[in-house]
Amino acid sequence: MYSASRKIQKDKGAEPSEFEETVAQALFDLENTNTELKSDLKDLFINTANQIDVSGNRKAIVIHVPYRLRKGFRKIHLKLVRELEKKFSGKEVVMIATRRIVRPPKKGAAVQRPRSRTLTSVHEAMLEDIVYPAEIVGKRIRYRLDGSKIMKVFLDPKERNNTEYKLETFAGVYRKLSGKDVVFEYPITEA
């Protein structure tokens, strides 16, 4: 018979942590109880799940999904995140595809790494995953006199109702995963 352990598959057969098992169990329960998500969740599983302290006493759950399955998760993203946030009350859920960063090739090596495996590309894709379903419509990088830099990311105002209360969570999760400071805003529209 099927069990919750089928919903989490870690690399190299590593054992899932207790928290990852609770997230897998929540996905398994949703598959069995929620009729509209059942058929979509049937073939989907996750790689890892982490709990991150965002700001103050707020926490976020970051779920890493296999890159191959990201389209399937995106199809049901809104419903799935809403249901998971109900199960883990008080915690916001963010889904990110698992991507790998490859070191730059050594001088003289004939091998060339794909653009999608560079640090810059992986961090940009991670940023898009974090803010999904909103789209990024603009980015500005501000360099301060002391050498620090802050990235301003402008999100699509159409998704403002769904994402406005999560902006702090998005910034905290991105800072934790990439080490870069980012500020999310909506562009000011002139009437």
Side-chain angles (χ1 to χ4, degrees):
M1 191 64 199
Y2 297 123
S3 69
S5 60
R6 196 176 56 94
K7 285 288 167 197
I8 182 162
Q9 295 180 12
K10 294 183 70 87
D11 291 340
K12 299 180 180 99
E15 284 297 312
S17 69
E18 198 174 310
F19 180 70
E20 290 170 336
E21 285 177 353
T22 58
V23 173
Q25 184 64 46
L27 282 170
F28 184 70
D29 294 342
L30 278 177
E31 183 182 335
N32 290 332
T33 57
N34 197 323
T35 52
E36 55 189 43
L37 291 175
K38 186 179 180 85
S39 61
D40 293 321
L41 271 175
K42 188 178 67 172
D43 299 324
L44 300 179
F45 57 89
I46 64 172
N47 282 348
T48 59
N50 302 331
Q51 195 165 335
I52 293 177
D53 295 324
V54 182
S55 63
N57 56 358
R58 290 170 61 187
K59 292 187 184 293
I61 297 172
V62 179
I63 299 174
H64 291 269
V65 301
Y67 183 79
R68 298 183 324 253
L69 301 177
R70 93 181 187 288
K71 279 191 177 142
F73 274 104
R74 282 194 167 184
K75 214 164 44 172
I76 56 170
H77 186 274
L78 275 174
K79 291 177 194 166
L80 185 60
V81 166
R82 195 177 315 119
E83 293 297 325
L84 286 173
E85 284 176 352
K86 281 183 204 168
K87 280 198 182 294
F88 300 103
S89 58
K91 297 174 185 168
E92 291 168 355
V93 176
V94 176
M95 290 191 173
I96 299 175
T98 304
R99 292 179 172 85
R100 179 160 286 128
I101 299 171
V102 176
R103 290 186 304 145
K106 291 190 169 70
K107 295 283 183 236
V111 204
Q112 201 171 14
R113 68 176 169 171
R115 173 83 175 110
S116 64
R117 303 286 195 290
T118 62
L119 178 110
T120 307
S121 174
V122 168
H123 282 186
E124 282 179 6
M126 190 189 306
L127 188 62
E128 286 176 19
D129 283 350
I130 289 172
V131 300
Y132 191 82
E135 285 183 20
I136 297 172
V137 293
K139 285 184 200 167
R140 306 282 183 275
I141 298 177
R142 182 173 177 196
Y143 294 91
R144 294 214 177 112
L145 287 172
D146 62 354
S148 63
K149 61 181 184 179
I150 282 194
M151 185 167 32
K152 282 188 176 182
V153 176
F154 296 102
L155 301 177
D156 190 3
K158 284 184 245 167
E159 290 291 335
R160 192 175 197 145
N161 297 342
N162 295 339
T163 55
E164 192 163 28
Y165 66 96
K166 285 185 169 186
L167 294 183
E168 216 171 278
T169 303
F170 292 162
V173 168
Y174 189 70
R175 187 181 305 110
K176 181 79 172 172
L177 295 175
S178 70
K180 296 177 182 173
D181 283 328
V182 68
V183 176
F184 292 97
E185 295 177 4
Y186 295 98
I188 300 156
T189 51
E190 293 155 15

